Amino acid sequence: MEKGIEILELFARDPGGLTISEIAQRLKRSISEVFRIIIVMERLGWLRKDPANDRYTVSYRVLDVAFRATPAHTLSNVAAPIMHRLSVDTNQSCHLVVRTGGNATVIHRQENMGPVSFGIRLGTSVDMMTSCSGHVLLAFTPVERRASVIAELPGAASATLRRLEKRLEEVRGQGYEMQPSARAAGVTDISFPVFGFDGQVSAALTLPFLTTIDGSQRSDLDETRRMLGEAAQRISEGLGWLPQSGNVTD
């Protein structure tokens, strides 16, 4: 099992595919032991071989099993139609982010229907300390647990952590985060928390607001923020969250 997991993690760093000899070399294992594992993983549908160059790649079975075996499955099912409606109404893209250890990951995305959009790729790892989504996930984590979560973040100076804590309190107070995008100029990120039935933050619903100059803008920044907050609340209610347990709109 350990060898199989090592192989899957190796493919995460080399999505273009690897031959058996390349896998053995990078894992510092013999070709014979890697060969036995690869054959089993291929037979079970976890890997597939390109007959043109003998390179193996991870199949979509990995994504399917991971998706069905985690809470992200229910979350995405509830969020998908609401995110689609939000994208249509605002002509903006949006994405759903969950915490994964010291980082956060995009588990669902919805592109806008217009000719121009700004979106985040599915599976993208998001920096918890600097991103809009990360701030929301941290801000709405109970204070008694937040310290341990922050301790998992990549090392930062104490002054940086103090600024982060101050910002998190502001985000929690106003119910959302909004800041210039750390990835692109001219984009304003807005993010609201999504709560589960237990009242705990489950995800961040984030919208990178792109201002257009061709007349295709359907809502301004403030209106879009309001619509995003309402969408986050609908997703939360779809997960069993009760409005009395918290507030996701300002």
Side-chain angles (χ1 to χ4, degrees):
M1 181 179 288
E2 182 181 0
K3 294 173 186 176
I5 292 173
E6 285 180 348
I7 289 171
L8 289 177
E9 291 179 340
L10 182 62
F11 280 118
R13 299 191 295 271
D14 291 276
L18 297 166
T19 64
I20 288 180
S21 61
E22 288 172 334
I23 295 170
Q25 182 180 21
R26 298 191 188 193
L27 294 180
K28 294 181 172 55
R29 296 186 180 274
S30 69
I31 290 179
S32 60
E33 64 177 325
V34 168
F35 177 79
R36 291 194 297 270
I37 300 296
I38 291 293
I39 293 303
V40 172
M41 295 178 74
E42 182 183 17
R43 176 165 55 83
L44 294 176
W46 293 92
L47 301 178
R48 70 177 193 83
K49 181 181 179 181
D50 186 338
N53 55 24
D54 291 335
R55 288 183 174 274
Y56 287 87
T57 54
V58 175
S59 73
Y60 281 103
R61 175 173 170 74
V62 175
L63 181 62
D64 177 59
V65 171
F67 186 68
R68 288 187 288 110
T70 62
H73 177 58
T74 301
L75 179 59
S76 294
N77 281 347
V78 172
I82 297 172
M83 292 172 64
H84 180 267
R85 184 72 258 169
L86 175 67
S87 180
V88 170
D89 291 343
T90 62
N91 196 29
Q92 302 280 349
S93 301
C94 57
H95 54 274
L96 198 64
V97 180
V98 298
R99 187 172 70 84
T100 50
N103 288 305
T105 303
V106 177
I107 64 163
H108 190 76
R109 64 192 290 264
Q110 175 63 58
E111 289 192 17
N112 71 314
M113 305 298 130
V116 178
S117 67
F118 178 81
I120 304 298
R121 185 178 301 170
L122 189 67
T124 295
S125 180
V126 177
D127 188 303
M128 293 281 283
M129 292 187 66
T130 61
S131 70
C132 204
S133 303
H135 287 178
V136 163
L137 292 171
L138 289 173
F140 290 92
T141 296
V143 176
E144 61 272 17
R145 288 176 48 205
R146 189 192 302 169
S148 62
V149 173
I150 292 178
E152 297 181 36
L153 303 180
S158 56
T160 301
L161 293 178
R162 286 196 297 271
R163 288 196 298 271
L164 175 62
E165 286 282 6
K166 181 180 178 181
R167 183 57 193 164
L168 296 181
E169 289 305 316
E170 293 172 352
V171 170
R172 189 177 182 90
Q174 67 186 9
Y176 63 92
E177 172 66 300
M178 185 166 67
Q179 64 182 22
S181 171
R183 296 176 181 268
V187 174
T188 301
D189 288 338
I190 321 168
S191 186
F192 278 81
V194 170
F195 298 102
F197 73 95
D198 58 358
Q200 302 297 312
V201 62
S202 296
L205 179 62
T206 303
L207 185 150
F209 183 85
L210 179 66
T211 302
T212 61
I213 58 175
D214 62 357
S216 62
Q217 203 81 39
R218 293 185 181 172
S219 57
D220 62 18
L221 185 61
D222 288 339
E223 178 68 6
T224 300
R225 176 172 57 82
R226 182 189 63 78
M227 295 166 73
L228 180 65
E230 291 176 349
Q233 180 162 325
R234 286 197 297 274
I235 296 172
S236 298
E237 291 171 351
L239 294 173
W241 173 81
L242 298 176
Q244 294 85 350
S245 63
N247 184 25
V248 293
T249 57
D250 61 315

